[in-house]
Amino acid sequence: MKRRDFIWSSALAGLALSTTPMQMFGASTDKKAKIGFIGVGGRGRSHLRNLLLRKDVEIPAICDIDPEAINESLAMIAKQGFPKPEVYSGSELAWQKMVERDDLEGVIISTPWLWHTPMAVGTMKAGKYVGLEVSAAITLEECWDLVNTYEATKVPVMILENVCYRRDVMAVLQMVRENLFGELIHFRCGYQHDLRGVKFSPGVTFGEGAEGEARWRTQHSITQNGDVYPTHGLGPIATYCNINRGNRFVSLTSTATKARGLHEYIINHKDGGINHPNANIEWKLGDVITTTITTAMGESIIVTHDCNLPRPYSLGFRVQGTKGITEFDMHTRRVYVEGKSPMHEWEDFKAYGEKYDHPLWRKYSQTSEGAGHGGMDFYVDHAFVEIVKRKLEAPLDAYDAAAWSSITPLSEMSIAEGGEPVAVPDFTRGQWMLRKPVFALNDDF
Ligand SMILES: NC(=O)c1ccc[n+]([C@@H]2O[C@H](COP(=O)([O-])OP(=O)(O)OC[C@H]3O[C@@H](n4cnc5c(N)ncnc54)[C@H](O)[C@@H]3O)[C@@H](O)[C@H]2O)c1
């Protein structure tokens, strides 16, 4: 495979963590971002790995309740020659002590969803920048907590939505900004990812004693029926149609299918079977959740959550305007632009991807090679480090975190009401009309 082909296909594959070693990044500088971590499980350690490759970062402290996660992190930190950080552990509230430290400027939070908002709010109140994993919140009250705390403290929270930085996704951002698709009309996106092997591990176990995300993620499929993970698809679309910055989500309707996938998985698994205790569980989360959002500028966005059935990964992406359209799946990316493409025929995305490659990717594609998810994780971590270092506002901020994450509780409400339309709150309280786009305007961060 040629190098460029490789770069595009690995950006698309998007999910497997690459093992290619990255080069140390950045000039040695007096100004360093002092960043701590709450949660150093799978995701926290991938952020840690990226930050350990930078010369402009110090890591004074880390926190996790799992001694194994702490030990693995300490080994990574020592291997990279960084001083040993202070460890906060032993209690689910140990993070509260950590965020009070005077030598911390920012904190990356990569814990289970239930902890995201309480930890982000506590960290902002302690005056430290927050880099918050997705989704940022799971109830409407939490969405407002993020906004209200930001407005009260003026401490930025950045939602770490890495898919906004995927190479092909950013190329489409450039195409949108250069008006290739004309006036935007309709979008499709989603999280379509077979997570059965993540929700159950090992075998068909989950909850206490299980491994990785099976310890906590699976429980949400018992208690919630809605789009529990909307931001990977919705984040990129929101940057295209300027949500909270000239546009906003207005309302949504949501429907859920029946729930069969997880039960089937348990009864057909070699470690499960119809007599396994988990075969009796009543799963609440419909296998396919379809949400249609309307925007103030008259677009519609169909968001799909599809994680319990056998399928290859796909964002199920579509951007459509008055002049053209692009669609992505796992191995197919295609474009049609009226007047440029042959009549009624798709063109391959590759030439467009190269022409509209985002300035950030042009600048950092070599540096980011080997960072997680086809390189895109470099960019989201880079943005967070830069705003902490330079004391800037977040390019994906509290209002974005709230609006994108609110799709979870609002879709639950709509589904519970048989698909009734539900209003999306204006988390900016009218400021969306005045706020200007700031995301990835150049090659800075
Ligand atoms: N953006 C992405 O591509 C991406 C990928 C994977 C996960 N995630 C998100 O990252 C977050 C973490 O996921 P993960 O895969 O690392 O899960 P994980 O289970 O591997 O790690 C979570 C860690 O949080 C720790 N933890 C739990 N409660 C804690 C507490 N009270 N105090 C301190 N530590 C605590 C756990 O011990 C564990 O080490 C989730 O929100 C997930 O959705 C995002």
Side-chain angles (χ1 to χ4, degrees), residues 152-391:
T153 61
K154 295 284 178 240
V155 176
V157 50
M158 174 170 170
I159 179 166
L160 299 178
E161 184 40 83
N162 48 343
V163 181
C164 294
Y165 295 90
R166 213 171 87 161
R167 192 172 202 165
D168 48 8
V169 162
M170 292 198 95
V172 173
L173 178 67
Q174 292 302 94
M175 295 182 209
V176 165
R177 286 181 173 166
E178 294 189 29
N179 205 30
L180 195 73
F181 305 118
E183 185 174 350
L184 298 174
I185 303 288
H186 178 66
F187 307 93
R188 291 184 189 189
C189 63
Y191 189 57
Q192 306 183 112
H193 188 190
D194 177 359
L195 288 182
R196 295 170 305 162
V198 171
K199 289 187 177 183
F200 302 106
S201 180
V204 294
T205 61
F206 69 97
E208 215 173 311
E211 289 167 356
E213 294 192 353
R215 289 173 294 181
W216 55 270
R217 188 174 192 137
T218 321
Q219 186 63 25
H220 292 275
S221 306
I222 296 175
T223 55
Q224 288 176 271
N225 192 14
D227 189 332
V228 293
Y229 208 52
T231 71
H232 283 331
L234 204 49
I237 302 297
T239 66
Y240 299 164
C241 64
N242 298 324
I243 295 302
N244 298 324
R245 298 177 179 280
N247 197 2
R248 75 176 193 90
F249 300 141
V250 172
S251 73
L252 64 75
T253 59
S254 195
T255 52
T257 68
K258 57 193 167 186
R260 291 289 183 274
L262 300 183
H263 176 76
E264 283 283 309
Y265 185 79
I266 291 164
I267 62 172
N268 292 322
H269 196 285
K270 68 176 174 47
D271 298 335
I274 196 71
N275 295 321
H276 192 281
N278 288 350
N280 297 323
I281 293 171
E282 218 171 284
W283 300 96
K284 191 169 178 187
L285 182 71
D287 288 340
V288 179
I289 308 284
T290 312
T291 303
T292 305
I293 306 172
T294 60
T295 70
M297 298 306 285
E299 299 109 348
S300 62
I301 309 166
I302 300 177
V303 192
T304 306
H305 182 272
D306 170 359
C307 299
N308 294 346
L309 299 170
R311 59 157 305 130
Y313 178 83
S314 171
L315 275 182
F317 209 64
R318 180 199 288 191
V319 176
Q320 187 166 19
T322 53
K323 291 185 183 165
I325 179 168
T326 184
E327 291 186 344
F328 303 170
D329 214 305
M330 185 70 177
H331 297 297
T332 321
R333 276 169 297 174
R334 50 194 194 173
V335 181
Y336 179 80
V337 180
E338 195 171 46
K340 287 192 181 158
S341 310
M343 282 282 275
H344 302 295
E345 272 186 41
W346 291 104
E347 288 185 273
D348 188 75
F349 185 84
K350 196 163 165 274
Y352 286 90
E354 286 172 7
K355 179 169 177 196
Y356 293 94
D357 202 14
H358 191 279
L360 270 168
W361 274 91
R362 286 188 198 272
K363 183 170 171 183
Y364 290 119
S365 62
Q366 274 198 324
T367 312
S368 64
E369 230 173 277
H373 296 121
M376 66 188 175
D377 290 355
F378 164 84
Y379 300 87
V380 75
D381 287 327
H382 174 61
F384 184 63
V385 170
E386 291 301 325
I387 63 164
V388 171
K389 232 168 49 178
R390 301 190 225 165
K391 300 287 169 278

Side-chain angles (χ1 to χ4, degrees), residues 15 38-45 47 63-66 69 88 91-95 109-113 115-116 119 133-135 160-163 211-217 229 232 373 376-377:
L15 279 154
I38 309 176
V40 281
R43 186 63 185 157
R45 288 204 296 279
H47 289 300
C63 171
D64 200 297
I65 50 172
D66 177 0
Y88 292 79
S91 141
E92 289 196 316
L93 298 179
W95 61 275
I109 298 172
S110 314
T111 48
W113 302 333
W115 281 108
H116 283 186
M119 286 172 170
E133 256 308 332
V134 298
S135 290
L160 299 178
E161 184 40 83
N162 48 343
V163 181
E211 289 167 356
E213 294 192 353
R215 289 173 294 181
W216 55 270
R217 188 174 192 137
Y229 208 52
H232 283 331
H373 296 121
M376 66 188 175
D377 290 355

